[in-house]
Amino acid sequence: MLPREEDMLIAERLASPHRVVGREVVCLTQVDSTNEECRRRAAGERQNGLAVCADGQTRGRGRRGRDFQSLPGRGLYLSVLLRPNAPLSEVSAITAWTAVAVCRGLERAAGVRADIKWPNDILLEGKKLCGILTELGVGENGTLDYVIIGIGVNVRQSEAEFGPELAPIATSLAQHGVTLGRGALAQALLEELDALYRDFPRESAAYLAEYRRRCVTLGREVTVLRGSAATRATALDIDGGFGLVIGLPDGTRQTVTSGEVSVRGLLGYG
């Protein structure tokens, strides 16, 4: 068990004048959602690189409006507000870049090898360790105003705390014997996100290559869900825009850039 001081999220310790991401850090005891807090602050201070951490969330969210379990003191809930100088067509890739950055941060801070389930779930030994939610703000003229990246990492949850529904598909660092203060993990993630922000979008080839290496979706049978229609296919590759290239039973290929893709044998999907 870590001393309480080592596990606390303290803004003064996390902020750094040498970074863009995390130059200013806000740490809260509880919030509805760190993404929502970033959105509220985006309308006011317009601080590029602002980071918001919380000890717990009352309305944590994942992709497609799903709830994200955010038990107080058990995970790291972190969002950053970015204002990249890039067109909307390029910003869509930032979620995949973030998946790579999170994997790098986890390796540095926790010493674990993390994998990616397309498009943005971070896995540890086949179970979900971390979720990523990216949201865009678009101005009245249709140009990008801001990007909010939300990251939720399961740090100390026990199997019992996940409950019967999540326990078969979710895991935490603690369940793999990792004792790590959330402050140290937040620091590593902020540093990797800052490196990402400085690289984006010109270093796409390096992030794409690492994404492909870490993507456990490739080579698996997948089910592509579009509305009520389900199509079985094989995941073949990640294209230059981080879309999933699938092979259909008739031998044709398609690229999936949106919609639900469930991966047989991972996270209980099939």
Side-chain angles (χ1 to χ4, degrees):
M1 180 72 69
L2 285 166
R4 174 172 169 75
E5 185 72 11
E6 290 186 23
D7 192 55
M8 292 178 66
L9 298 170
I10 301 173
E12 290 77 8
R13 292 185 179 179
L14 295 177
S16 171
H18 305 296
R19 297 194 309 262
V20 175
V21 178
R23 179 180 291 126
E24 178 186 358
V25 179
V26 175
C27 294
L28 305 171
T29 302
Q30 183 172 280
V31 70
D32 51 356
S33 157
T34 54
N35 269 29
E36 287 302 318
E37 184 64 20
C38 273
R39 191 189 314 278
R40 287 188 287 266
R41 291 172 182 261
E45 300 173 16
R46 303 181 62 84
Q47 176 63 52
N48 186 29
L50 170 71
V52 175
C53 301
D55 198 55
Q57 298 180 118
T58 59
R59 294 204 305 272
R61 292 179 289 113
R63 289 182 67 231
R64 297 181 169 271
R66 298 187 184 101
D67 292 336
F68 184 86
Q69 188 193 71
S70 308
L71 299 176
R74 313 308 281 173
L76 174 62
Y77 316 115
L78 166 69
S79 295
V80 296
L81 172 68
L82 308 178
R83 300 186 186 274
N85 183 21
L88 282 171
S89 59
E90 292 182 341
V91 169
S92 61
I94 206 166
T95 301
W97 283 53
T98 300
V100 171
V102 169
C103 289
R104 292 175 177 176
L106 285 165
E107 285 196 359
R108 284 180 49 205
V112 297
R113 161 74 189 196
D115 299 310
I116 301 170
K117 173 186 173 290
W118 186 89
N120 62 340
D121 283 338
I122 308 301
L123 308 186
L124 183 55
E125 296 186 15
K127 288 188 174 184
K128 184 171 179 176
L129 177 68
C130 170
I132 299 167
L133 178 63
T134 302
E135 299 178 294
L136 307 182
V138 179
E140 294 181 0
N141 58 358
T143 59
L144 181 69
D145 186 15
Y146 59 81
V147 177
I148 295 172
I149 300 173
I151 300 167
V153 184
N154 300 326
V155 178
R156 291 210 305 274
Q157 292 93 332
S158 66
E159 184 175 344
E161 285 174 316
F162 281 125
E165 183 178 350
L166 292 179
I169 63 174
T171 192
S172 69
L173 291 173
Q175 289 184 51
H176 295 267
V178 178
T179 303
L180 178 68
R182 290 175 301 160
L185 179 57
Q187 186 72 52
L189 292 181
L190 288 173
E191 290 171 359
E192 292 296 341
L193 290 171
D194 186 63
L196 175 157
Y197 194 44
R198 295 174 188 275
D199 289 341
F200 188 82
R202 57 185 172 81
E203 296 294 335
S204 183
Y207 281 83
L208 177 60
E210 185 167 350
Y211 189 99
R212 284 174 170 152
R213 289 196 302 270
R214 293 184 182 271
C215 185
V216 294
T217 307
L218 298 181
R220 295 180 179 266
E221 185 176 352
V222 299
T223 302
V224 182
L225 303 177
R226 293 187 178 96
S228 60
T231 304
R232 287 296 176 109
T234 301
L236 301 176
D237 196 8
I238 305 297
D239 75 0
F242 294 89
L244 181 66
V245 180
I246 58 173
L248 300 175
D250 64 3
T252 60
R253 294 187 175 199
Q254 292 182 5
T255 299
V256 178
T257 57
S258 62
E260 186 69 43
V261 176
S262 44
V263 180
R264 192 175 186 181
L266 282 177
L267 306 187
Y269 298 157

